[in-house]
Amino acid sequence: MAIVNRAEGRAYLTPLVGFLLFFLGFPAAVNLVYSISTVSFETLRSPSLSGFGNYAAVLADREFWGAVSFSMRFGVLTALAECLIGLFLAVFLTPLLAKRSYLMAPLMLPLMVAPAMIGLMYRLVLHEFAGPVPYYLFEWFGDSPAFLGVDNAFRTLLVVEILQWTPFAFLLFYMAYAAIPLEVREAASLDGASALKALWWVELPLMLPTLVIAFFIRFIDGFRVFDNVYALTGSGAGGSTTSLSIYIYQAFFKGGAIGKAVAASVVLFLASLAVLYGLNWITGRGRR
Amino acid sequence: MKLNSTSFSAVAVLFASVALPGISHATVTVLGWPGGSEETALRATVEAYNAQSGIADADKVELLFFNRDGFFDKLQADMAAGSDAFDVNLVATYSIGRYAPYMEPVDLGADAGKVFGESVLKTMQFDGEQYGVPTDLSLHFMYYRKDLVDALMQDDVAKKKYAEIAKEHLGKDLQPKDPDSWTWDDWAATTLYFSKQVNSESPVRYGTVLQMKNLLFNMMVFQSLPRSYGADWTDKDGNVTVDSDAYKTGLELYKKLYDAGASPKDSLSYEYAETNAAYGSGQAATALQWNAAAADLTNAEKTPAVAAVTGIVAPPAGPNGRADHIHGLGLGLNKNAKNKEGAVKFLKWLATEDAALLYARSGGSPALAPDVAAKVSKERPDLVKLGEFASQYGYVMNGATSANALSVYELQAKEFTGYWAGQQSLEDALAHTKTGMQDLLKK
C-alpha cells in the first residue's frame, strides 16, 4: 500500500512545481522571447518580435565561435588534468590519510577561496614587479616569461584553474577509493593480482561512476568559467581568452546587444542539454 | 480577532517607526560613486548643503551608495527598470548617452562655465544638453624619472647613444629634451634608450609601462597619442575616421615600443594597478598614467623607490599639439525622480563656486577654471595641474558621449590589442574597428 495516495502526492509536489515554474520557468520564457526580439535597455518592457535574426547573428559571429572553442578546450583540458591528478593523489595518499586524516584540511584549502579572489591573487603573484614568482625567476635565471602574455595566457589560466579545483576531484575519488570493501581487494590479492592489475581491473571499474561524474562536473565548471579568467586577463588581447560566459556578459552589458546575448545563452543551454542527454545515454548503455 | 487586530496595529506601528524618520529627514536621494575620495568629498559637501538655513526639510539630501563593481551595469539595469529610488544619479562622460533616455537635462546657469570652464562642462553634455554637474575629472599625466632624464641630459656619451638609438629604431635625428617639451618621438626615443633590451647600459629595465590590456579604460589612456596627430572618431559629417593616418601612427608606435622591449612583456595584461606597481618599482623610466595615481606615485611612504624623483608633465605633443583625454564623473537628474525640484536645486548649488571649492577641499577632484583653482592651490596643488591640463589640452572625441560610446571603447580595446599582440594586421584591426564603429555610432 502506498504511503501517500496520488492526490496527496500532487498536493505535496505543488509548491515545488510552483517554485520551479516561477523561478526557472519565468526567466526561461522571458529569455526565449528576448532571443527572438529586437530589445535594448530602453525597450526591456516592450521588446518587438523580430524572428531568428539574433540566432543567425550569433552563429555567424567569429567571436562566438572563438569563445566556444576557448570554453571547450578549457573545459576538456582542465577536467582531464584535475581528474588525472586527483585520481593519482587519491590512490597514493589514501594510506597516509587513513592514519593522518587532519592532512585533508590543507588539501581542501584552495576550494575555500572564491575564484575571483584566486584570479586577483595570481595577478599579484605573477606580476613582474610585485610577484614572488617572477622575482625569483629574475634572481635565478635573469629573466621571467610573460605569464599573462598572449602566448602563455591560456596555459597560465589552465594551471590556475587546475590548482584550485584538483582538490575537488581528489575529494570525490578519495571517498570512492576508500569505500571499496577490503574483501574485494583481498580477493583480488588472493587471485594473484598485482597492485597495478588490481587498480586497473578491480578498483577503477568500481570507481567508474564517480570518475565519470567528477569529469563532467569539472568539465561543466571549466566550460562556463568566468570569474578567475575575467580577473586575470579579462577577455585577453584581441579577445583571445574570451570564454562563452564572458562573451555573453560582454554582449549583454558592454555591447547592449541583449537579444544576441540571450540567443547565445539559449544556444549554450541547448548544447548543454544535448551533452547531458548524450552522457545519460552513454552511461545507461554502459550499465546494460 | 482582537489579537489579530492588535498584532496588525503593532506591526504597522513598527513599520512606521522604521520608515518615518527617513521620510522626515531627506527627500532628495543622491546615488553617488562609492568608496574613495569621491564619497568622502560628497559626504562633506552634502553635510554643508543640508546645514544651510535656506534649505527646507523636504529638500535636504540623503546619500545612497552601493558597490563599485559593476556599478554602471547595475545602474543601467535600475534606470531601465524606471527606478525612482534616487533623484540624482552618478553619470560618467562615456556613458551619458546610454543613460540620457532615463535622465533629464539640467540648466546649471551661466556661472557654471566660469567655475569649471567650457571643455569640462562638455564632459557632461549629450546632444547639446547639459546632463550633469562635473564633480570629478580624470585625465592623464606623463610621469617620468627626473633623476634619469637629468643624468641623460648632462652626459655627452649618453646623448650620443640616445641619438644612435633614435636613428636606428625611429629613423629620426633626435637629441634628449626636457620632458615638458617632448614630442611623442622624443618620448619614444627616451623609452627605447632606457630599455635594457635596446640599451644594455640602461639603469632601469624598461623605458615605459604601456597599459595594453583589452580594457576600455586603457583605450582612454592610448587615445591622446593619435589625437595629437589629429585623430577623431568621426568627422563633422559623422563619418567614422578611425582608419586615419593618425590612428595608424599611434598604434604602430605602441607596437614598435612593445616589440622592442621598451615595455614589460606582460603589458598586454596591464591596467592601472600593474602600471603603478611597475613604475613604482623603480624599473621604468616613464609611464603615461591616470592623474589619480599622482597621490601614490609621489608619496614617499607608498612609493619609496621613485616618489622623490618623479616629475609630472602633460602628455607629449604631436603635429597638432598636445592632447589629454578627459572624462568626468558627475551628478545628474533621474527622469523618474520623486523630488525633481529639490534635486535641481541641489545640482545648481553643486555647480556654484562655493560648492566646487568645498568639494575640492574635502578631497574631490573637480577640474576648476584657473582662477577658481588658484583659491585652493595651497591645499590642493594637484588640482591646479588638473585644471590647467584640462583647459589647455582636454578633449572629448566626437561621439564619445553617445549611447554606445562605452561599446566603442570596448571595440577598440579588442581590435587594437589584437594588433599589438600580433594576432591581426593593422589594416584588419582598423577595418574591423571602422565597421563596428559605423554600426555603433549610427543614429
Side-chain angles (χ1 to χ4, degrees), chain B residues 34-311:
Chain B
S37 58
E38 297 89 350
E39 180 179 336
T40 313
L42 189 58
R43 282 189 187 282
T45 310
V46 162
E47 198 177 318
Y49 178 76
N50 286 340
Q52 291 179 109
S53 56
I55 304 298
D57 279 353
D59 288 338
K60 287 196 172 169
V61 172
E62 186 178 64
L63 290 168
L64 179 66
F65 294 102
F66 52 79
N67 202 291
R68 275 192 187 197
D69 287 338
F71 181 96
F72 289 103
D73 298 338
K74 291 173 198 162
L75 178 62
Q76 183 167 13
D78 257 13
M79 297 192 86
S83 175
D84 61 1
F86 43 84
D87 302 291
V88 170
N89 60 275
L90 186 87
V91 68
T93 302
Y94 50 77
S95 58
I96 290 181
R98 188 167 281 193
Y99 301 126
Y102 324 111
M103 295 178 69
E104 278 185 18
V106 280
D107 178 8
L108 299 179
D111 286 348
K114 293 177 192 162
V115 177
F116 299 106
E118 291 305 322
S119 66
V120 174
L121 281 182
K122 206 176 168 187
T123 62
M124 291 284 123
Q125 289 172 4
F126 175 65
D127 271 352
E129 303 268 23
Q130 192 73 35
Y131 275 86
V133 182
T135 51
D136 297 88
L137 193 86
S138 284
L139 44 69
H140 308 115
F141 291 161
M142 178 60 79
Y143 299 85
Y144 70 97
R145 289 278 300 275
K146 287 188 282 192
D147 55 335
L148 300 179
V149 174
D150 288 350
L152 168 64
M153 304 270 280
Q154 289 160 15
D155 183 343
D156 288 338
V157 179
K159 282 184 187 172
K160 193 175 167 217
K161 179 82 177 171
Y162 176 101
E164 286 168 11
I165 288 172
K167 188 72 179 170
E168 182 188 343
H169 290 269
L170 303 172
K172 294 183 177 168
D173 294 314
L174 298 171
Q175 285 295 320
K177 269 190 208 164
D178 170 48
D180 208 18
S181 53
W182 274 347
T183 63
W184 287 102
D185 283 335
D186 295 320
W187 167 74
T190 308
T191 66
L192 290 164
Y193 173 82
F194 283 117
S195 300
K196 281 262 188 235
Q197 201 166 310
V198 175
N199 174 15
S200 59
E201 290 162 20
S202 167
V204 289
R205 211 180 285 164
Y206 301 106
T208 193
V209 194
L210 301 175
Q211 299 183 44
M212 301 168 89
K213 185 176 179 178
N214 179 354
L215 186 72
L216 70 98
F217 301 108
N218 289 348
M219 288 305 105
M220 296 180 183
V221 179
F222 164 72
Q223 218 72 223
S224 297
L225 165 52
R227 177 71 178 195
S228 68
Y229 281 80
D232 210 333
W233 286 6
T234 64
D235 60 20
K236 59 180 171 35
D237 299 321
N239 302 308
V240 174
T241 53
V242 74
D243 54 349
S244 62
D245 287 343
Y247 266 106
K248 283 179 189 163
T249 305
L251 287 163
E252 282 174 337
L253 187 60
Y254 256 47
K255 184 162 173 60
K256 180 175 278 184
L257 296 180
Y258 175 66
D259 288 347
S263 185
K265 282 177 278 188
D266 264 351
S267 298
L268 282 159
S269 65
Y270 277 19
E271 51 181 296
Y272 180 84
E274 282 83 357
T275 304
N276 271 4
Y279 180 80
S281 74
Q283 286 297 330
T286 69
L288 185 61
Q289 173 67 305
W290 296 88
N291 63 296
D296 283 354
L297 296 181
T298 55
N299 182 323
E301 281 181 19
K302 290 184 176 170
T303 325
V306 299
V309 290
T310 291

Side-chain angles (χ1 to χ4, degrees), chain A residues 41-42 44-45 62-63 123 126-130 138 143-150 230-240 249-250 253-256, chain B residues 73 76-77 80-82 98 101-102 205-206 213-214 264-266 268-271 273-274 277-278 281 283 404 406-407 410 413-415 417-418 421 423 432:
Chain A
F41 279 101
E42 291 86 354
L44 275 178
R45 290 174 182 177
R62 65 188 168 103
E63 288 159 35
R123 249 176 84 178
L126 300 175
H127 189 275
E128 184 177 331
F129 302 95
F138 268 104
D143 199 8
S144 170
F147 289 102
L148 299 176
V150 73
Y230 202 74
L232 264 172
T233 57
S235 49
S240 54
Y249 170 77
Q250 288 192 323
F253 279 113
K254 307 292 182 192
Chain B
D73 298 338
Q76 183 167 13
R98 188 167 281 193
Y102 324 111
R205 211 180 285 164
Y206 301 106
K213 185 176 179 178
N214 179 354
K265 282 177 278 188
D266 264 351
L268 282 159
S269 65
Y270 277 19
E271 51 181 296
E274 282 83 357
S281 74
Q283 286 297 330
N404 286 322
L406 207 61
S407 303
E410 295 272 0
K414 191 184 75 191
E415 298 298 342
T417 57
Q423 294 176 325
H432 293 150

Side-chain angles (χ1 to χ4, degrees), chain A residues 40-100:
Chain A
S40 65
F41 279 101
E42 291 86 354
T43 58
L44 275 178
R45 290 174 182 177
S46 53
S48 55
L49 293 178
S50 59
F52 292 90
N54 289 325
Y55 288 96
V58 165
L59 296 175
D61 188 353
R62 65 188 168 103
E63 288 159 35
F64 172 76
W65 292 110
V68 169
S69 164
F70 177 90
S71 289
M72 189 60 82
R73 284 183 293 135
F74 193 82
V76 169
L77 291 174
T78 52
L80 263 179
E82 286 161 15
C83 288
L84 287 173
I85 300 170
L87 183 62
F88 174 84
L89 291 174
V91 170
F92 281 87
L93 291 183
T94 296
L96 181 68
L97 289 170
K99 289 178 183 169
R100 294 178 176 81

